[in-house]
């Protein structure tokens, strides 16, 4: 409802600054404004901030303004409870959502891998082009000299040979040009994206898969990522002792249990139920739901308490009183008052404390010190405490009940008896600590960035292994948002998120000196996270950042890899992110790192294989044109080699699955070459082996194989035994490439066993077997088309030996 000239319903798109909007339970605020009239509103701003705690809004003139009670209402926030009127201040692009939309505009730049691959492709194409031109010139020079010497310059055979030379040169250029590289990259990305989806990881931008392999710092949220995102009853404090939820039934006496848990079930407006899929669903306040779930697990039927006729009066919770009270008629002449709320609020109404182990009710004043010490201890450990108390009132007639029901609040809640405390917290995920340890082993630092208090952040950080006792000796290990801004030279707590390019830190050197010491940033706003990410990138870090609120969108967009939550994340956060965690689980980020590094490795494997096969093809063509005036491997045969080199090899090598060993080494550096020193050693050794084999077979093969040489044979005759020599040469060359595919799976010199995990990749095995079968069929039945002659069984075995030799040559190098 909008109040302009009169009260009326209008579209959200027609709201302008100066309008007054009526707000009620369930409304989602479409604009920014100030609460001017009404009661205290409970507002859910999790879509903006990602934090689940309810925010309290009060009219600007109430006089009780403080940090957690303000009149400011932001677009996309949801009214949970209360009603009022707001003055519209900002709409469209000037609102909070509008600023976020501006921050998300702009195109992404190329990744480091894309730049490296582009550079490699250009260089490879140039070198291949120069080599092909040289080979063409040498063969053409031989042709002209022979024609001039024999005075046969204008014979048709010379023109045919010139065309053949041109085709050979063009085919060599096709082999040298890395056209299979984009195919390998695309296949590796597509394969990894599909597999990652099965592990709760939805990739929105393919390039982010590769970027995860180079991430060396992760800025992670706490709530829902490191923790379950679901408040849980952890322990109960009764009779001066803390008992776990598993001990409740065995430890609490029946009367003590009913006073505590009936107070939980009556004093709530939330609902907990078991869904059809067997999962327990929560509706309402997260703290109340945690208590109700514990009551349900203890065997209580929650539906029997809700709207029960025994309820005679209820005092609802609000941010001022901080408690809820319910008057219940237990028996015809007995009424019990249940009180539940913040310990500091309910203790003011108590005069006694119940000690069941002594069957006595003691003076609370004498026991207050012990209760307060326990509350302080639990709060320091990041737990949330809810207090419980009760009192029984005997009534003799109906008028007494009516008097009790109509009594003022102070009289009703006078002389309550304190029972104990419920200890609640959002527990860390079971796998969070092991995932953090894996990140540390993988050379990735983890910084928790949360809006929670310092004590809460430290408690969860300790449980997850982000911060250790040794880290506490360093004053910079845990910072609050204002301390971060001070170090970075920012004086305001809210950077303009819509102007992402203008948000720069002025004291980068100060930050760079302590960045490796920082483990936790508490009381951090979304703008603090955005500033942190921008500064980390400025000092050369490769940053992945998690976020779930609208205000996280600029940080997600700015990071090298933005990771949004699939369950708790808003649509704007998901739109800004590169990747969505479908289960909101930090362990999925570790999985993404493993797949990212695997993509980088698979592309390197393909490059290692491709360079070797290119060197072999150019070598045999070059020595052929120099010494025998022709290429022993003709253009059609080279095209089959090119098919193996590009399409089949890319599919075989790009689908290698990751191993856990990928998480036991350091991240890839942006400046790191795509071809490492160890890869060059493998390439050189394999190229030398292949060149020696091809050279020996070309010039000495006919002698020790006892066959006729194919050198100088009539090119116009397409088949016949005169091509046996060249057929063996071609067969050996192709089979050595198949052996080299196995070698290419290993990039490190210390990886001695090239068959390790050999059977884990069905694609690789299928393609390798397929290549062997097709090569056999080409040799035996493709003579007419490819200028080949069928080989005997012994000759095939002879060629196969060089495949084994190709594998052994690299393995021997690794040993030495």
């Amino acid at each position: 409802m909008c109040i302009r000239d009169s009260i009326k319903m209008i579209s959200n798109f027609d709201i302008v600054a100066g309008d007054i909007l009526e707000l009620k339970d369930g409304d989602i605020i479409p604009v920014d404004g100030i609460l001017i009239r009404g009661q205290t509103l409970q507002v859910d701003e999790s879509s903006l901030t990602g934090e689940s705690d309810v925010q309290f809004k009060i009219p600007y003139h109430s006089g009780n303004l403080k940090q957690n009670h303000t009149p400011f209402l932001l677009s996309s926030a949801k009214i949970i409870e209360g009603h009022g009127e707001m003055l519209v201040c900002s709409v469209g692009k000037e609102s909070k959502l509008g600023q976020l939309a501006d921050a998300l505009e702009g195109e992404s730049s190329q990744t480091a891998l894309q730049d490296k691959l582009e550079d490699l492709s250009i260089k490879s194409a140039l070198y291949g082009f120069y080599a092909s031109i040289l080979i063409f010139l040498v063969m053409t020079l031989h042709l002209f000299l022979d024609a001039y010497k024999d005075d046969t310059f204008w014979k048709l055979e010379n023109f045919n040979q010139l065309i053949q030379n041109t085709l050979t040169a063009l085919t060599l250029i096709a082999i040298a040009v890395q056209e299979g590289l984009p195919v390998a990259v695309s296949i590796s990305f597509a394969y990894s994206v599909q597999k990652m989806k099965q592990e709760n990881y939805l990739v929105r931008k393919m390039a982010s898969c590769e970027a995860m392999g180079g991430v060396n710092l992760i800025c992670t949220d706490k709530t829902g990522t490191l923790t379950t995102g679901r408040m849980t009853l952890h322990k109960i404090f009764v009779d001066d002792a803390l008992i776990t939820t598993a001990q409740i039934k065995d430890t609490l006496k029946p009367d003590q249990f009913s006073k505590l848990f009936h107070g939980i079930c009556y004093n709530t407006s939330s609902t907990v139920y078991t869904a059809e899929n067997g999962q327990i669903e929560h509706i309402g306040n997260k703290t109340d739901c945690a208590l109700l779930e514990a009551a349900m697990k203890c065997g209580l039927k929650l539906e029997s308490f809700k709207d029960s006729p025994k309820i005679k009066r209820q005092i609802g919770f609000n941010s001022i009183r901080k408690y809820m009270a319910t008057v219940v008629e237990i028996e015809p002449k007995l009424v019990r008052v249940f009180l539940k709320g913040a310990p500091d609020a309910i203790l003011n109404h108590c005069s006694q404390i119940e000690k069941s182990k002594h069957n006595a009710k003691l003076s609370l004043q004498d026991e207050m010190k012990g209760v307060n010490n326990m509350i302080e201890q639990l709060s320091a450990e990041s737990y949330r405490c809810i207090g419980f108390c009760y009192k029984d009132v005997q009534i003799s007639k109906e008028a007494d009940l009516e008097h009790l029901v109509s009594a003022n609040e102070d009289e009703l809640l006078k002389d309550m008896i304190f029972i104990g405390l419920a200890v609640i917290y959002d527990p860390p995920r079971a796998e969070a600590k092991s995932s953090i340890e894996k990140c540390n082993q993988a050379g990735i630092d983890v910084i928790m960035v949360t809006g929670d208090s310092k004590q809460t952040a430290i408690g969860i950080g300790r449980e997850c292994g982000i911060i250790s006792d040794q880290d506490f000796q360093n004053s910079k290990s845990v910072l609050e948002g204002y301390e971060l801004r001070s170090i970075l030279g920012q004086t305001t707590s809210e950077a303009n998120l819509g102007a992402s390019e203008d948000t720069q830190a002025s004291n980068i050197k100060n930050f760079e000196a302590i960045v490796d010491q920082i483990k936790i940033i508490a009381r951090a706003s979304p703008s603090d996270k955005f500033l942190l990410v921008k500064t980390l990138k400025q000092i050369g870090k490769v940053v992945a950042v998690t976020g779930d609120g609208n205000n996280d969108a600029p940080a997600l967009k700015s990071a090298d890899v933005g990771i949004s939550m699939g369950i708790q994340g808003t649509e704007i956060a998901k739109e800004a992110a590169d990747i969505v965690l479908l289960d909101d689980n930090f362990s999925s980020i570790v999985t993404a790192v493993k797949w990212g590094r695997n993509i980088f490795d698979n592309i390197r494997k393909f490059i290692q294989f491709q360079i070797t096969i290119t060197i072999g093809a150019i070598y045999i063509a070059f020595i052929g044109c120099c010494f025998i005036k022709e290429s022993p491997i003709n253009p059609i045969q080279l095209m089959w080699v090119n098919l193996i080199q590009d399409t089949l090899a890319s599919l075989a090598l790009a689908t290698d699955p990751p191993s856990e060993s990928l998480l036991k080494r350091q991240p890839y550096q942006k400046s790191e070459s795509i071809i490492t020193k160890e890869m060059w050693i493998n390439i050189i050794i394999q190229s030398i082996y292949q060149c020696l084999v091809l050279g020996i077979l070309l010039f000495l093969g006919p002698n020790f194989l006892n066959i006729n040489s194919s050198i100088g044979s009539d090119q116009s005759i397409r088949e016949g035994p005169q091509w046996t020599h060249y057929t063996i040469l071609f067969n050996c060359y192709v089979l050595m490439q198949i052996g080299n595919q196995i070698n290419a799976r290993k990039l490190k010199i210390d990886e001695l066993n090239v068959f390790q995990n050999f059977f884990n990749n069905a694609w690789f095995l299928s393609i390798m077997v397929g290549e062997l079968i097709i090569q056999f069929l080409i040799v035996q039945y493709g003579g007419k088309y490819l200028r080949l002659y069928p080989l005997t069984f012994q000759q095939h075995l002879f060629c196969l030996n060089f495949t084994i030799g190709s594998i052994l040559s690299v393995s021997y190098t690794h040993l030495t």
Side-chain angles (χ1 to χ4, degrees):
M1 297 289 287
C2 175
I3 303 174
R4 192 175 292 168
D5 299 324
S6 61
I7 299 177
K8 56 183 178 181
M9 296 284 292
I10 65 171
S11 167
N12 287 345
F13 299 104
D14 296 329
I15 298 173
V16 296
D19 285 345
I20 295 176
L21 300 184
E22 286 191 352
L23 304 174
K24 61 182 184 302
D25 297 1
D27 284 348
I28 296 177
I29 305 171
V31 292
D32 295 350
I34 297 174
L35 185 64
I36 57 174
R37 280 188 291 272
Q39 60 176 262
T40 301
L41 298 182
Q42 293 186 36
V43 180
D44 179 7
E45 293 183 346
S46 59
S47 63
L48 281 169
T49 64
E51 298 300 329
S52 57
D53 290 343
V54 171
Q55 303 297 312
F56 298 97
K57 305 296 180 179
I58 58 178
Y60 75 98
H61 53 72
S62 65
N64 292 322
L65 301 179
K66 48 187 176 180
Q67 183 176 4
N68 59 343
H69 290 71
T70 70
F72 303 111
L73 296 166
L74 301 176
S75 48
S76 83
K78 182 179 181 180
I79 307 298
I80 295 177
E81 186 177 311
H83 58 84
E85 295 178 356
M86 71 173 283
L87 174 65
V88 178
C89 298
S90 302
V91 300
K93 289 190 175 182
E94 300 303 320
S95 69
K96 201 70 173 177
L97 278 179
Q99 292 180 14
L100 293 171
D102 284 344
L104 299 183
E105 293 179 359
E107 297 182 358
S108 301
S109 58
Q110 283 198 143
T111 65
L113 176 62
Q114 289 171 331
D115 290 336
K116 291 172 184 176
L117 293 179
E118 187 177 311
D119 181 61
L120 177 66
S121 297
I122 292 172
K123 289 181 178 178
S124 177
L126 284 175
Y127 294 148
F129 176 76
Y130 296 147
S132 300
I133 292 297
L134 177 62
I135 290 170
F136 173 77
L137 292 176
V138 171
M139 287 192 297
T140 305
L141 180 62
H142 277 302
L143 177 64
F144 283 144
L145 289 176
D146 289 344
Y148 178 78
K149 186 189 302 181
D150 301 333
D151 196 21
T152 57
F153 189 82
W154 299 107
K155 276 193 173 182
L156 182 61
E157 290 81 357
N158 292 335
F159 286 102
N160 289 336
Q161 187 59 44
L162 182 62
I163 293 172
Q164 188 75 8
N165 295 349
T166 305
L167 289 175
T168 300
L170 291 174
T171 306
L172 289 173
I173 292 175
I175 290 176
V177 172
Q178 306 286 331
E179 75 270 20
L181 200 49
V183 176
V185 173
S186 298
I187 289 173
S188 187
F189 279 176
Y191 174 77
S192 299
V193 166
Q194 187 65 29
K195 290 294 183 180
M196 289 164 75
K197 187 177 180 181
Q198 296 172 11
E199 302 191 41
N200 298 311
Y201 206 84
L202 180 63
V203 178
R204 295 187 66 254
K205 300 173 184 175
M206 276 196 173
S208 62
C209 298
E210 165 262 318
M212 282 302 297
V215 165
N216 52 31
L217 194 146
I218 298 173
C219 295
T220 178
D221 284 341
K222 176 187 74 69
T223 305
T225 307
L226 293 172
T227 66
T228 61
R230 191 163 179 154
M231 301 302 288
T232 304
L233 179 63
H234 183 50
K235 293 179 180 179
I236 289 177
F237 175 70
V238 291
D239 288 341
D240 298 326
L242 282 170
I243 63 172
T244 64
T245 52
Q247 299 171 319
I248 288 175
K249 284 191 173 182
D250 296 332
T251 305
L252 296 183
K253 295 178 180 179
D255 183 56
Q256 195 178 21
F257 176 86
S258 66
K259 290 171 182 175
L260 183 63
F261 278 90
H262 287 192
I264 288 173
C265 296
Y266 281 122
N267 279 318
T268 184
S269 58
S270 302
T271 302
V272 171
Y273 66 96
T274 303
E276 293 181 359
N277 60 5
Q279 297 292 321
I280 297 178
E281 299 293 338
H282 291 179
I283 301 176
N285 182 275
K286 297 183 187 318
T287 300
D288 280 359
C289 288
L291 295 171
L292 289 172
E293 183 175 334
M296 178 190 285
K297 290 179 178 178
C298 287
L300 294 179
K301 296 182 178 179
L302 303 184
E303 59 273 13
S304 65
F305 293 91
K306 196 172 183 66
D307 301 325
S308 169
K310 293 182 178 182
I311 298 175
K312 301 303 177 183
R313 179 182 178 183
Q314 276 193 327
I315 300 173
F317 177 90
N318 66 33
S319 61
I320 297 174
R321 61 169 66 101
K322 297 182 181 178
Y323 59 74
M324 182 176 182
T326 304
V327 179
V328 181
E329 188 177 9
I330 303 297
E331 298 173 3
K333 292 186 178 182
L334 178 63
V335 173
R336 179 167 290 168
V337 181
F338 293 102
L339 182 63
K340 180 197 78 174
D344 60 328
I346 69 165
L347 287 171
N348 291 332
H349 295 280
C350 296
S351 59
Q352 294 178 299
I353 181 171
E354 185 169 277
K355 297 291 183 74
S356 295
K357 63 182 179 181
H358 300 302
N359 292 318
K361 296 177 177 64
L362 307 179
S363 169
L364 181 61
Q365 187 174 358
D366 297 336
E367 302 291 327
M368 184 62 82
K369 184 177 180 181
V371 174
N372 284 335
N373 287 341
M374 178 54 64
I375 292 171
E376 289 176 6
Q377 176 187 331
L378 292 169
S379 297
E381 294 176 1
S382 76
Y383 296 116
R384 181 178 298 178
C385 296
I386 305 296
F388 295 89
C389 52
Y390 80 101
K391 76 173 180 181
D392 288 338
V393 181
Q394 297 289 337
I395 56 173
S396 57
K397 52 187 177 180
E398 187 68 24
D400 293 338
L401 179 59
E402 291 177 0
H403 173 73
L404 186 65
V405 170
S406 61
N408 67 55
E409 206 169 302
D410 290 336
E411 183 183 349
L412 177 67
L413 302 179
K414 184 180 178 182
D415 295 328
M416 301 292 289
I417 302 168
F418 181 72
I419 310 171
L421 301 169
V423 183
I424 298 172
Y425 82 137
D426 182 7
R429 293 182 181 270
E431 61 276 16
K433 188 170 185 178
S434 61
S435 298
I436 297 293
E437 289 174 355
K438 286 182 179 179
C439 284
N440 293 334
Q441 289 177 359
I444 301 172
D445 296 323
V446 179
I447 298 177
M448 181 202 295
V449 185
T450 177
D452 279 341
S453 68
K454 201 170 186 177
Q455 288 180 333
T456 301
I458 290 172
I460 296 297
R462 272 179 158 167
E463 290 194 58
C464 293
I466 290 177
I467 191 167
S468 64
D469 293 335
Q470 185 178 356
D471 292 324
F472 277 103
Q473 299 174 9
N474 190 330
S475 61
K476 301 300 182 183
S477 59
V478 182
L479 300 177
E480 292 196 5
Y482 76 91
E483 294 175 300
L484 175 68
R485 292 190 296 273
S486 176
I487 292 170
L488 295 176
Q490 292 285 320
T491 55
T492 128
S493 62
E494 284 295 330
N496 181 5
L497 294 177
S500 58
E501 296 303 320
D502 298 331
T503 307
Q504 300 287 343
S506 56
N507 296 332
I508 293 180
K509 289 186 178 179
N510 294 345
F511 178 74
E512 193 169 5
I514 65 165
V515 64
D516 293 332
Q517 304 168 28
I518 299 174
K519 303 298 179 184
I520 295 173
I521 299 177
R523 294 292 185 201
S525 67
S527 57
D528 293 332
K529 183 189 285 189
F530 176 58
L531 180 62
L532 174 66
V533 171
K534 293 281 287 185
T535 309
L536 288 169
K537 289 185 67 177
Q538 280 181 274
I539 64 175
K541 297 288 186 180
V542 181
V543 186
V545 62
T546 68
D548 50 18
N550 290 347
N551 270 3
D552 289 325
L556 292 170
K557 184 75 173 179
S558 175
D560 293 288
V561 183
I563 304 171
S564 175
M565 303 297 110
I567 299 172
Q568 296 186 1
T570 65
E571 289 305 315
I572 290 179
K574 293 175 185 176
E575 186 67 26
D578 304 301
I579 294 165
V580 178
L581 293 185
L582 299 178
D583 59 354
D584 290 8
N585 196 332
F586 186 85
S587 64
S588 297
I589 300 177
V590 179
T591 301
V593 170
K594 182 170 65 176
W595 277 100
R597 294 184 179 185
N598 187 63
I599 287 172
F600 204 85
D601 272 7
N602 286 351
I603 292 171
R604 278 181 160 173
K605 292 171 186 177
F606 177 74
I607 291 171
Q608 181 173 277
F609 171 77
Q610 198 172 46
I611 291 178
T612 306
I613 201 171
T614 301
I615 291 173
I618 291 176
Y619 167 79
I620 192 64
F622 182 75
I623 62 169
C625 72
C626 288
F627 297 102
I628 61 174
K629 305 177 184 179
E630 63 184 8
S631 173
I633 301 178
N634 64 50
I636 300 178
Q637 294 169 358
L638 286 174
M639 291 309 296
W640 163 236
V641 173
N642 191 49
L643 182 63
I644 294 176
Q645 174 189 10
D646 290 337
T647 308
L648 297 178
S650 62
L651 189 58
L653 295 171
T655 55
D656 245 9
S659 64
E660 288 299 319
S661 63
L662 290 169
L663 295 176
K664 295 179 181 178
R665 65 191 198 204
Q666 295 300 303
Y668 297 115
Q669 303 297 318
K670 282 186 176 180
S671 58
E672 187 175 337
S673 172
I674 192 75
I675 306 177
T676 65
K677 179 182 177 182
E678 291 174 312
M679 288 173 63
W680 276 122
I681 291 174
N682 290 339
I683 290 168
I684 292 170
I685 294 299
Q686 187 62 210
S687 298
I688 291 173
Y689 170 77
Q690 291 189 17
C691 290
L692 284 174
V693 169
L694 293 174
I696 291 171
L697 287 175
L698 179 62
F699 297 109
L700 303 178
N703 296 332
F704 60 78
L705 289 173
N706 196 25
I707 57 175
N708 294 325
S709 174
S710 299
I711 298 173
S713 298
D714 188 350
Q715 301 285 337
S716 61
I717 302 175
R718 303 299 299 172
E719 53 185 335
Q722 71 271 23
W723 299 119
T724 301
H725 175 207
Y726 280 176
T727 301
I728 291 175
L729 183 73
F730 168 68
N731 200 34
C732 286
Y733 176 62
V734 172
L735 292 179
M736 284 192 292
Q737 308 319 316
I738 294 174
N740 190 36
Q741 275 185 348
I742 299 173
N743 292 330
R745 295 177 60 252
K746 300 300 178 183
L747 300 170
K748 302 286 185 180
I749 292 295
D750 56 359
E751 294 176 315
L752 302 178
N753 184 8
V754 294
F755 291 100
Q756 185 179 15
N757 300 323
F758 184 68
F759 296 99
N760 289 357
N761 186 357
W763 280 103
F764 184 90
L765 292 173
S766 301
I767 289 169
M768 191 181 71
V769 171
E771 287 172 342
L772 287 170
I773 292 172
I774 294 172
Q775 176 63 18
F776 175 78
L777 294 175
I778 286 174
V779 169
Q780 296 302 111
Y781 305 105
K784 183 178 179 180
Y785 309 99
L786 281 84
R787 205 185 65 189
L788 298 170
Y789 189 73
L791 300 181
T792 65
F793 178 73
Q794 290 78 10
Q795 288 170 336
H796 276 295
L797 286 180
F798 172 80
C799 297
L800 199 60
N801 287 329
F802 293 105
T803 303
I804 300 171
S806 176
I807 297 170
L808 293 178
S809 65
V810 173
S811 298
Y812 177 77
T813 306
H814 289 187
L815 282 171
T816 55

